[in-house]
Amino acid sequence: MVAYEERLERLGYAPECARRIVDDFTSTGKLKDLADYINYKESEKRSINEHVTEVLG
C-alpha cells in the first residue's frame, strides 16, 4: 500500500490525502481501479513533460 501512497504523493497529493485515498480504495476492494487511475495520471504527466522538453529543446 505504501507504493500507492508514494506514487500519489509524487503526483502532488498531500501525504494524509494519499493515505486516505489508498485506505478508501482498499476498504472497498477496488485497488485495481486505483492502480489504473495512478497509471493514467503518471502517463499523462510523462506525456506533458515529454512535450515540454520537445518544445523547449
Side-chain angles (χ1 to χ4, degrees), residues 10-57:
R10 279 184 268 155
L11 289 169
Y13 288 87
E16 61 275 3
C17 292
R19 195 170 311 110
R20 191 173 318 126
I21 290 168
V22 173
D23 288 345
D24 288 348
F25 275 87
T26 302
S27 69
T28 60
K30 296 190 179 257
L31 278 179
K32 184 184 179 330
D33 292 337
L34 176 59
D36 290 345
Y37 170 76
I38 292 172
N39 288 333
Y40 169 76
K41 294 304 279 184
E42 287 173 338
S43 68
E44 182 180 56
K45 188 174 183 178
R46 259 190 315 275
S47 177
I48 291 169
N49 288 340
E50 289 170 1
H51 177 72
V52 169
T53 301
E54 287 177 11
V55 170
L56 298 178

